[in-house]
Amino acid sequence: MAVTNRTVAELFDETADLLEIEGANPFRVRAYRNAARFLGDLAPSVADMVRRGEDLEELPGIGRDLAEKIQEIVRTGTLAQLEDIRERTSPELRALMHVAGLGPKRVKTLHDELGIRTATDVREAAASGKIQRLKGFGVKLEQKILQEIERLKSRERRTKLVEAQDLASALTTRLEQVFGVQRVQVAGSYRRRKETVGDLDILVIATHSADVMNRFVGYEDVAEVVSHGETRSTVVLRCGIQVDVRTVPEESYGAALHYFTGSKAHNIAVRKLGQKKNLKINEYGVFQGERRIGGTTEEDVYGRVGLPFIEPELREDTGEIEAAQQRCLPELIRLEDLRGDLHIHTRETDGRHTLEEMAEAAQRLGYEYMAVTEHSRRVAVARGLDARRLAAVMDRIDRLNGTLNGFTLLKAVEVDILEDGSLDLPDDILRELDLTVCAVHYHFNLSREKQTERIVRAMDNPYFRILAHPTGRLINERDPYDVDMEFLLEAARKRGCFMELNSHPDRLDLTDSHCRLAKQMGVKVAVSTDAHSITDLEFMRFGVFQARRGWLEPGDVINTRCLAELKNLLKRPR
Ligand code: DGT
Ligand code: CA
Ligand code: CA
């Protein structure tokens, strides 16, 4: 891969910055900076010049030392000296350098005068007015630095999978239209279906790589082109997410897909297995010595190290390699396995559609059943039901069921768990229902002990069936309440209760590791959508992704059962 002038310039710039932070000789710093500026504007490619054996010292501002550095970058893609300085300086300081208004000189001052190393240090120092008093700073600059740090922080935020999916599919469609493109695949944490993704990693097989890159960096949603190369480019989209696109040769596709799907820990584990067989595995293929012996497909990569294919959702190096070696990988649940939804709302409380509309939509999805779970009275903002209104809803369900064929609405409620652990509706109405989903909506701030006790007490109610959104978290918005999940799972197991995996993409509550823990502890899970509209019913796929990441199989999930079996499960053991 040819090194561009821009790459050389960037490496020189970074070297200059880091040297400056270290307080190196200013002439040396300036030499790198000038060379970077000059190379950034230079039309002929220095890589070509090196290849043709031309004398780089002829270029203005390039002496013997810098000429050798350029040759090194062209040969190796990097600079050993820079790698050394990178190791010496803290990555936090480097990041600070890129905060608008800072730069190496000021970062050095902050570090030398106030001992600042991180963005948090900056925020604290600014809050106590220490920064404005430094020479060369002032009140205005302090304000600006603070704002910039907040802005960068919000950009650091990971993007919810549902949002990433919209962005990825728009981009994928765009790239697929480029002439010569055979395949576009999103890899990375996105393909592993993590609940949030840091950035998007897209692989493309194409005959005309440069065209793919041009189309990509020219995409209308691009806010900033971070790098633009022949086979690899990076941009930041307007919404703040970064996207990497790489073109890969067809024969390397499996190896590249495997590498860029990750996780990094999984890759390292697979590579180690390769080393034991004297194989080198990287993003270009599987190699024996210098000879490529495989890597066209992922199956091939795994096969070379004696493993069966491992589903992307499992690739976290949390036991999947060992399970694959022992041929006991889970048969992960699929969307088609689900026979119904056990948590939905209608217009009776805070849903958008009527009972009839929701029932029709559920049938269109091919479901056998759906539990109607309106809010209870305590949740007044959602016009929660009291016993009388709930009874009326139950009558309507009975009547509607009378007209339906091969589909059954289950009579249920989303009953609030009150602060003392009692349920928000009297037992004599709960008794009439097919099931209850029980949830905490208020008093998130109880101590861990109290919160856990509250929920366990609720489970003591004989009509408690499913704990809905068990931690209450909203991704990127609200932390989970503090609760001892292991204790809750044990309590649920003893009482024959179930845990919900709420599929709403803002919730995904249980988490993947909670799902796995539930399975290990013998607690079955209900994968439900909490739909407030017809389209929300399709959130089920996000729940399935999360369930798969939690190693769940169809047998671990109660709503994969047919209606009769489900009803049996819902009967609480006395
Ligand atoms: P993210 O973006 O933070 O949600 O997580 P990923 O997993 O998408 O990570 P990312 O985008 O940094 O890199 C994509 C994949 O590339 C990652 O899953 C594995 C692979 N990868 C990245 N860096 C390394 C590395 O240093 N070694 C190995 N073996 N693989 C790496
Ligand atoms: Ca990524
Ligand atoms: Ca990436």
Side-chain angles (χ1 to χ4, degrees):
M1 258 172 274
V3 171
T4 61
N5 289 0
R6 198 188 336 224
T7 307
V8 180
E10 276 167 12
L11 292 175
F12 278 3
D13 249 334
E14 188 182 347
T15 308
D17 285 347
L18 294 181
L19 283 174
E20 193 165 2
I21 293 182
E22 283 198 324
N25 178 339
F27 291 106
R28 230 175 121 213
V29 174
R30 198 165 325 135
Y32 277 106
R33 243 196 257 299
N34 288 342
R37 194 168 324 124
F38 170 74
L39 290 171
D41 294 335
L42 183 71
S45 145
V46 287
D48 288 344
M49 292 179 69
V50 170
R51 230 184 331 271
R52 290 195 296 263
E54 290 172 28
D55 188 2
L56 295 171
E57 287 179 54
E58 300 278 289
L59 298 170
I62 308 288
R64 161 86 66 83
D65 179 49
L66 287 177
E68 278 171 6
K69 297 255 153 62
I70 294 174
Q71 283 168 345
E72 182 188 345
I73 295 172
V74 169
R75 260 196 338 267
T76 68
T78 181
L79 204 53
Q81 181 202 0
L82 174 60
E83 307 269 331
D84 287 348
I85 322 178
R86 276 182 184 155
E87 294 211 333
R88 287 200 300 268
T89 35
S90 84
E92 291 101 343
L93 277 185
R94 263 207 280 151
L96 276 187
M97 212 164 69
H98 296 294
V99 173
L102 280 178
K105 265 209 197 85
R106 291 200 172 111
V107 168
K108 182 167 160 52
T109 307
L110 290 177
H111 180 252
D112 293 351
E113 303 282 321
L114 302 174
I116 283 173
R117 299 183 71 83
T118 66
T120 313
D121 294 345
V122 174
R123 206 175 299 125
E124 282 171 17
S128 52
K130 283 186 188 152
I131 291 180
Q132 50 176 281
R133 289 199 291 272
L134 290 174
K135 192 158 167 269
F137 282 78
V139 180
K140 273 226 179 84
L141 184 57
E142 187 180 71
Q143 279 303 319
K144 187 177 168 208
I145 292 168
L146 254 186
Q147 277 168 9
E148 184 65 11
I149 281 182
E150 296 306 327
R151 200 182 65 80
L152 289 178
K153 212 182 115 211
S154 70
R155 189 200 264 186
E156 261 169 38
R157 242 163 67 151
R158 298 176 59 84
T159 304
K160 286 176 206 165
L161 188 59
V162 64
E163 290 158 8
Q165 200 153 55
D166 292 342
L167 298 165
S169 65
L171 249 172
T172 304
T173 309
R174 178 58 68 96
L175 294 175
E176 277 167 352
Q177 288 161 359
V178 179
F179 176 80
V181 166
Q182 291 159 42
R183 207 164 167 170
V184 180
Q185 167 83 53
V186 188
S189 51
Y190 178 88
R191 183 164 178 246
R192 303 198 311 280
R193 308 303 187 187
K194 264 187 94 155
E195 59 193 32
T196 60
V197 305
D199 70 356
L200 289 173
D201 309 276
I202 303 182
L203 295 184
V204 180
I205 306 182
T207 49
H208 297 67
S209 183
D211 293 353
V212 175
M213 294 303 149
N214 289 336
R215 174 70 68 97
F216 172 53
V217 301
Y219 180 51
E220 67 259 25
D221 269 355
V222 167
E224 182 191 338
V225 178
V226 179
S227 68
H228 180 181
E230 275 278 319
T231 59
R232 176 182 176 174
S233 300
T234 298
V235 306
V236 177
L237 298 182
R238 285 208 193 115
C239 63
I241 196 173
Q242 183 171 306
V243 187
D244 292 336
V245 171
R246 292 175 187 79
T247 52
V248 298
E250 197 163 0
E251 70 269 19
S252 299
Y253 182 71
L257 181 58
H258 182 259
Y259 182 92
F260 291 111
T261 296
S263 65
K264 187 171 165 181
H266 174 89
N267 288 354
I268 291 170
V270 170
R271 204 164 52 203
K272 275 207 189 112
L273 290 181
Q275 279 158 3
K276 284 191 198 143
K277 294 182 186 289
N278 260 325
L279 298 175
K280 197 173 89 195
I281 301 174
N282 57 31
E283 62 267 48
Y284 305 107
V286 180
F287 296 86
Q288 198 157 43
E290 293 296 301
R291 196 165 61 93
R292 177 215 298 280
I293 59 163
T296 310
T297 63
E298 283 194 315
E299 283 80 357
D300 183 44
V301 175
Y302 285 115
R304 299 282 166 182
V305 294
L307 296 181
F309 179 81
I310 300 176
E311 298 282 357
E313 291 94 330
L314 298 179
R315 300 184 194 172
E316 301 290 346
D317 193 26
T318 51
E320 77 280 9
I321 305 268
E322 294 75 8
Q325 282 172 325
Q326 290 153 26
R327 297 297 186 272
C328 58
L329 283 167
E331 289 279 341
L332 297 180
I333 186 170
R334 294 159 309 162
L335 187 57
E336 313 86 89
D337 293 323
L338 288 157
R339 302 207 199 198
D341 201 326
L342 298 179
H343 188 163
I344 71 107
H345 299 270
T346 78
R347 247 166 38 195
E348 195 65 44
T349 58
D350 60 348
R352 284 212 358 244
H353 293 103
T354 63
L355 184 63
E356 290 75 11
E357 288 165 337
M358 291 300 276
E360 203 177 288
Q363 289 174 85
R364 273 201 304 273
L365 291 174
Y367 288 154
E368 264 178 52
Y369 48 82
M370 178 171 75
V372 181
T373 53
E374 301 290 12
H375 284 289
S376 65
R377 58 193 172 183
R378 171 73 177 81
V379 187
V381 285
R383 296 192 311 118
L385 306 181
D386 57 19
R388 188 184 54 80
R389 278 175 65 212
L390 177 55
V393 170
M394 290 162 70
D395 281 345
R396 283 183 57 203
I397 291 174
D398 278 337
R399 259 178 284 133
L400 189 51
N401 271 338
T403 71
L404 295 172
N405 241 327
F407 178 81
T408 306
L409 289 167
L410 297 172
K411 288 177 278 186
V413 71
E414 177 177 7
V415 62
D416 187 61
I417 298 173
L418 300 175
E419 190 179 2
D420 64 0
S422 59
L423 298 182
D424 184 32
L425 285 167
D427 282 0
D428 51 354
I429 185 122
L430 298 180
R431 179 183 303 132
E432 303 298 320
L433 298 168
D434 294 308
L435 70 122
T436 57
V437 300
C438 307
V440 167
H441 296 100
Y442 303 97
H443 304 291
F444 272 46
N445 291 330
L446 302 186
S447 69
R448 183 183 183 85
E449 197 190 348
K450 281 227 167 81
Q451 196 68 275
T452 307
E453 201 181 289
R454 167 193 192 182
I455 298 172
V456 171
R457 198 170 305 150
M459 286 182 189
D460 283 334
N461 183 302
Y463 305 109
F464 187 114
R465 304 308 307 128
I466 300 170
L467 180 60
H469 35 77
T471 78
R473 66 111 175 232
L474 294 174
I475 299 174
N476 286 349
E477 277 165 59
R478 184 171 72 196
D479 287 337
Y481 41 74
D482 197 6
V483 77
D484 184 338
M485 185 54 70
E486 212 172 320
F487 197 89
L488 281 190
L489 286 168
E490 182 57 21
R493 192 190 59 77
K494 280 192 197 136
R495 292 163 182 76
C497 299
F498 307 105
M499 287 285 169
E500 177 179 275
L501 192 188
N502 191 294
S503 306
H504 195 294
D506 295 342
R507 291 190 180 270
L508 294 172
D509 180 10
L510 304 174
T511 64
D512 46 11
S513 43
H514 289 152
C515 287
R516 216 168 153 190
L517 190 60
K519 179 184 179 135
Q520 278 160 11
M521 294 181 63
V523 177
K524 297 222 184 302
V525 172
V527 183
S528 311
T529 64
D530 203 350
H532 285 67
S533 71
I534 288 172
T535 47
D536 286 358
L537 289 168
E538 287 172 29
F539 288 155
M540 196 62 100
R541 64 201 162 94
F542 292 101
V544 171
F545 292 151
Q546 184 88 321
R548 290 167 64 87
R549 289 183 55 82
W551 292 52
L552 298 189
E553 301 177 278
D556 302 316
V557 172
I558 60 175
N559 47 326
T560 60
R561 310 299 169 91
C562 67
L563 182 62
E565 281 179 40
L566 176 74
K567 282 198 158 170
N568 245 334
L569 277 176
L570 288 170
K571 274 189 213 132
R572 189 152 158 179
R574 292 290 138 148

